[in-house]
Amino acid sequence: MKRLVWVLVVLFFIAGCKPKAPQGIIESEKMEQILYDIHLVDGYISTIYIQDSARKVGAAYYKGIYKKYDTDSVQYAKSLNYYNNNPDQLQEMYKAISKKLDNQKVSLKKADSLMLRNTFVKDSIKIIKKYKADSLLIRKKMKPDSASKATTEIQIKKKKAQADSLINTKRNYSGALQTVAPTAVQ
């Protein structure tokens, strides 16, 4: 019985181990990281309109990636060829790469949302300050009679409506906001 347990344990460890890459081939974990970085660079380069500039920028980035992972373009090409001939391993790498890219996309959306929210809050504060300054100016010009008071209140309500409209327009424009900052002018 003990022997059977030991055999099962040994078989479990042998089956659980990932196959080692042959001599001169980049290990799968490292290759996955390289492919991730290469695809990020490819995406960036695709946004550069002038082809000569894209090639120059790309060459510098690729060289940096090879240096970062202590490899070169020849070993990378040889390793990529190896993994292309072993599609199961390559598919596993690309599943992980896809997951990393999705996580990065979510993080960027959160960062963009925070940036939009901060801009919205700053703009709203400016609008509110202007509304309050305009209201004070209108009140200072008010005469003590009741007709003047009524006119002043109407002007202040118009200013408030304008401020609310601007804030709502900005809120709608930055539709990515999940948490809305100051609601209307008080």
Side-chain angles (χ1 to χ4, degrees), residues 101-119 174 176-179:
L101 289 171
D102 288 343
N103 290 340
Q104 186 178 27
K105 191 176 185 180
V106 168
S107 296
L108 288 172
K109 280 185 178 181
K110 285 181 183 177
D112 286 348
S113 178
L114 285 173
M115 190 174 71
L116 283 173
R117 184 179 188 285
N118 288 341
T119 302
S174 57
L177 295 175
Q178 294 176 356
T179 321

Side-chain angles (χ1 to χ4, degrees), residues 70-84:
D70 194 31
T71 189
D72 57 30
S73 60
V74 174
Q75 187 180 24
Y76 169 75
K78 184 178 176 184
S79 299
L80 188 58
N81 187 41
Y82 168 79
Y83 287 112
N84 278 330

Side-chain angles (χ1 to χ4, degrees), residues 150-167:
T151 305
T152 300
E153 291 303 320
I154 290 171
Q155 289 175 338
I156 290 173
K157 282 182 182 179
K158 284 182 183 179
K159 288 290 182 182
K160 183 180 182 310
Q162 289 172 343
D164 286 345
S165 176
L166 280 172
I167 290 172

Side-chain angles (χ1 to χ4, degrees), residues 42-81:
D42 289 345
Y44 171 67
I45 290 171
S46 71
T47 65
I48 300 174
Y49 180 70
I50 301 168
Q51 291 299 317
D52 288 341
S53 296
R55 281 191 210 105
K56 287 178 186 176
V57 169
Y61 276 117
Y62 295 134
K63 187 176 180 180
I65 291 170
Y66 299 141
K67 185 176 180 179
K68 176 181 176 182
Y69 293 103
D70 194 31
T71 189
D72 57 30
S73 60
V74 174
Q75 187 180 24
Y76 169 75
K78 184 178 176 184
S79 299
L80 188 58
N81 187 41

